[in-house]
Each structure stands twice: as C-alpha cells, then as structure tokens.
C-alpha cells in the first residue's frame, strides 16, 4: 500500500470510530484526526506531482584571513 493509501485508511478508520462513539468530545477529536490524515494525503499527492529536486551542496566558502592582522603602510 502506498503512503497516501495508508493515510487514507487511517482517515477512514478515524471516521468509522467517530460514527460509533456517543461522546461528542471524542467524536470531534476523531474527526480532527481524520482531517489531519487527509491533509497529509493532499500534501503527499502534491509532493508526488512536483518535479524531482536535487540538492547540491554549496562549495565551501574560503576563510577570510583575520582582517586585524593586515599590515598597514606607514607614510
């Protein structure tokens, strides 16, 4: 099962449990969890549609010599 398929299954289970409970607070919490799982489904689908991104490590920056040790011209 795909990742988004698992998320959908979790959302469906939360909805099923919410339908079976009589406690309004528990029902609300379960429905909130179902919405959160569905938000993850939407995000996962959006990520799957995005082009593949490649992260390239930037070149190391050269250390700048301590500017306080520069020789000063004396006139």
């Amino acid at each position: 099962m795909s990742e988004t398929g698992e998320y959908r299954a979790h959302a469906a289970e939360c909805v099923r449990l919410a339908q079976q409970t009589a406690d309004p607070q528990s029902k609300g919490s379960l429905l909130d969890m179902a919405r959160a799982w569905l938000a993850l489904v939407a995000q996962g689908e959006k990520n799957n549609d995005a082009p593949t991104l490649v992260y390239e490590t930037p070149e190391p920056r050269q250390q700048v010599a301590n500017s306080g040790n520069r020789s000063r011209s004396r006139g």
Side-chain angles (χ1 to χ4, degrees), residues 6 14 22 31 56 68:
E6 288 182 38
C14 289
L31 292 175
E56 295 180 9

Side-chain angles (χ1 to χ4, degrees), residues 7-74:
Y7 295 166
R8 286 181 201 279
H10 290 308
E13 180 67 7
C14 289
V15 170
R16 185 186 69 74
L17 291 170
Q19 290 171 340
Q20 292 179 350
T21 187
D23 178 43
Q25 187 173 1
S26 295
K27 185 177 293 231
S29 294
L30 287 162
L31 292 175
D32 286 343
M33 285 193 297
R35 280 189 282 277
W37 283 115
L38 292 176
L40 288 172
V41 169
Q43 185 63 51
E45 289 173 346
K46 184 188 292 186
N47 290 346
N48 288 339
D49 292 341
T52 302
L53 300 176
V54 177
Y55 177 79
E56 295 180 9
T57 305
E59 292 294 320
R61 298 171 90 187
Q62 291 182 350
Q63 295 294 323
V64 178
N66 188 345
S67 60
N69 291 337
R70 289 187 191 161
S71 304
R72 292 193 177 151
S73 316
R74 295 183 185 194

